[in-house]
Amino acid sequence: TDAELHDLYAVAPARYRVLTALVLFHGMRIGEALGVRMGNVKVEPCRAPLLPRVTVEVRGQLQRLRDNGKTVMHYQTPKTDAGVRDVPVFGEFVPDVLRHMCRYAAPGRDGWLTVTSRGSAVFDTSYRKTLGEMRERAGVTRRVHPHAGRRWIVTRLAEAGATPAEIGQILGDKDLATITQIYTQVRQGRPRELMDRVGSTLQGTA
């Protein structure tokens, strides 16, 4: 639910808050979010008191691989053309993104947006463990995994009137069947909300 995601975000370690926002609220795959470089974050200045607009360019991903007996995070381009996309950041997360870029990101355009305290790339396994710890601290009882954010954003976009093709463009997924059959879920209470909305248009017409 919206509340559960916000509870998770509230207890996220400061270094991983923006990563959490990209994964749970913006539908980015964990490898894509870990593979965001500083140069992929576009900030459009605007006049105060308005917040600038922030867009994250998805141009690749960090994948965990074995190399000469060692496990490393390897950067690679998206598997499909659909994976190359620009993801607008929700306004409520913009201040955190700007703060994070100054305090926690690696320097330079090629520096990773999210790094460990030692300045290295974050392993997906490490973040999954952190997410589990966040779930316990937040008191969220249901299972939470990085892919849950994709299901959430698809459902919310569908409720907002987005077509499967438009949703696919935001998620970097051409498989519309997956979007409509697997990702899209019905929020608890949504049927009543929809029926009340339609019912309000019927008053006085019978």
Side-chain angles (χ1 to χ4, degrees):
T1 65
D2 296 5
E4 288 171 325
L5 291 188
H6 279 96
D7 287 345
L8 287 166
Y9 188 71
V11 300
R15 184 174 294 278
Y16 294 148
R17 281 177 65 82
V18 169
L19 175 62
T20 299
L22 296 179
V23 170
L24 294 187
F25 286 94
H26 296 83
M28 291 177 61
R29 301 175 179 90
I30 179 63
E32 294 173 338
L34 291 172
V36 174
R37 301 179 188 273
M38 285 286 282
N40 296 134
V41 182
K42 303 302 180 183
V43 180
E44 300 178 29
C46 63
R47 294 181 179 178
L50 299 177
L51 286 172
R53 289 186 176 182
V54 174
T55 302
V56 174
E57 299 175 336
V58 180
R59 297 295 184 267
Q61 61 181 347
L62 279 174
Q63 186 76 27
R64 179 166 33 94
L65 300 174
R66 294 288 291 178
D67 183 19
N68 293 326
K70 295 183 178 180
T71 303
V72 298
M73 293 300 282
H74 175 70
Y75 185 78
Q76 58 188 23
T77 56
K79 297 178 181 179
T80 65
D81 292 341
V84 178
R85 64 197 189 279
D86 296 341
V87 179
V89 174
F90 290 123
E92 69 173 284
F93 299 104
V94 167
D96 281 350
V97 171
L98 299 179
R99 188 180 305 111
H100 176 95
M101 293 173 69
C102 294
R103 296 182 180 179
Y104 300 110
R109 288 182 51 82
D110 290 335
W112 305 119
L113 178 64
T114 301
V115 293
T116 66
S117 58
R118 296 182 178 181
S120 58
V122 176
F123 277 72
D124 63 307
T125 49
S126 176
Y127 179 68
R128 291 176 191 276
K129 179 181 178 181
T130 299
L131 187 57
E133 296 169 349
M134 289 162 49
R135 182 182 68 83
E136 293 182 2
R137 289 199 300 272
V140 176
T141 57
R142 72 183 76 198
R143 177 173 175 264
V144 179
H145 51 86
H147 223 60
R150 290 177 69 80
R151 293 178 179 271
W152 178 84
I153 191 61
V154 169
T155 303
R156 301 301 266 122
L157 288 171
E159 291 175 351
T163 66
E166 291 170 333
I167 295 172
Q169 184 175 358
I170 294 174
L171 265 70
D173 196 337
K174 286 185 177 180
D175 189 352
L176 302 187
T178 298
I179 293 172
T180 56
Q181 297 175 12
I182 299 178
Y183 287 152
T184 306
Q185 300 175 344
V186 178
R187 284 189 300 134
Q188 184 177 7
R190 181 61 174 172
R192 167 57 61 185
E193 181 182 337
L194 293 171
M195 291 300 286
D196 287 346
R197 184 180 300 178
V198 173
S200 67
T201 68
L202 300 178
Q203 295 178 5
T205 61

